[in-house]
Amino acid sequence: MDIGVVLQTTPPSSRVVDLAKKADMYGFSHVWTFDSHILWQEPYVIYSQILAETRNVIVGPMVTNPATRDWTVTASTYATLNEMYGNRTVCGIGRGDSAVRVTNGKPTTLATLRESIHVIRELGNGRAVDYKGSTIRFPWGGKSQLEVWVAAYGPKALALTGEVADGFILQLADPSIAEWTIKAVRDAAKKAGRNPDDVKICVAGPAYVGTDMEHMRDQCRWFGGMVGNHVADIVERYGADAPVPKALTDYIKGRKGYDYNEHGRAGNTHTDFVPDEVVDRFCILGTPEDHIRRLTELKELGVDQFAIYLQHDGKDETLNAYGEKILPAITELGKAKQ
């Protein structure tokens, strides 16, 4: 299992780059960031600096959306970074949350998401694509390689992911929900005539290494609020009997609103409705041994990558613990001598 990290592009950008460099040093596979251009700094500019100062990590958004950026510009950015730094980008994409809501927009339709995935992936892989009545390609981007991973929760979005995505992003670390969503994605891939194993599985959630559970829960409770935004969309679409696990929908009954000014922030005052049980299920909190147990469980479900949301006051300590204790414990190393 790979281990990635998800960062906010909160000023100073040098701090974001520094954390990315530490992740690269410790052997993390990916450095993801939020992509919300009003709330935080522009991620693609920062990716260029991260790539310039690291050797191995792959960078990309968790997640971008089809609404706030022209799809051809998005693809051109990836292809340019790939030419500069050697195919070390990935496009995580979804229907849109804070980036569109802060500007009074709405998440896109699944049909628009599907079309954007096709256009971005074809151009990002140096291929020609039909776009607005013309066939276009990047004449300079023939060597670019780009995977598109889709973030999803609801049944229709999970089906789309299985049908077209290179990877599936589940933004919570609850094993039972992971099992349900992974099955839905793989079933859809198989139905579409694809090899289900070709869809990479990424589970993402806050991880905090420590012993003070009350403090760690309070630092990570914001995540339940963020997930609650997406769950609320599912309930609005499907009703109270939405065809998703009750563990994913029941907790938002106490949700009274959400202030995007506090989006993704530890201490978010609009996430009091999130109970400790949900924090414990959606996040990974505790000692290194606690993390290893949960990661092993996720790995056995077929998860290829766990990406740590690092939005709390224990960033360096958690990175260090993962790099020195947890990552080596879950990495299969061959013996030097049999």
Side-chain angles (χ1 to χ4, degrees), residues 255-271:
R255 183 177 182 267
K256 298 179 181 179
Y258 191 82
D259 184 355
Y260 277 91
N261 287 306
E262 297 183 345
H263 186 61
R265 182 187 301 174
N268 186 322
T269 59
H270 291 77
T271 57

Side-chain angles (χ1 to χ4, degrees), residues 130-159:
D130 291 334
Y131 182 70
K132 295 184 178 180
S134 297
T135 299
I136 58 173
R137 63 182 293 269
F138 300 141
W140 46 268
K143 294 182 179 180
S144 177
Q145 297 176 20
L146 179 70
E147 292 187 348
V148 181
W149 295 19
V150 177
Y153 293 103
K156 292 182 179 179
L158 292 169

Side-chain angles (χ1 to χ4, degrees), residues 114 158-165 184-196 198-199:
R114 182 188 295 270
L158 292 169
L160 180 150
T161 302
E163 291 163 4
V164 304
V185 168
R186 287 177 170 167
D187 287 349
K190 185 176 181 180
K191 187 176 181 180
R194 304 180 67 194
N195 181 349
D198 288 343
V199 183

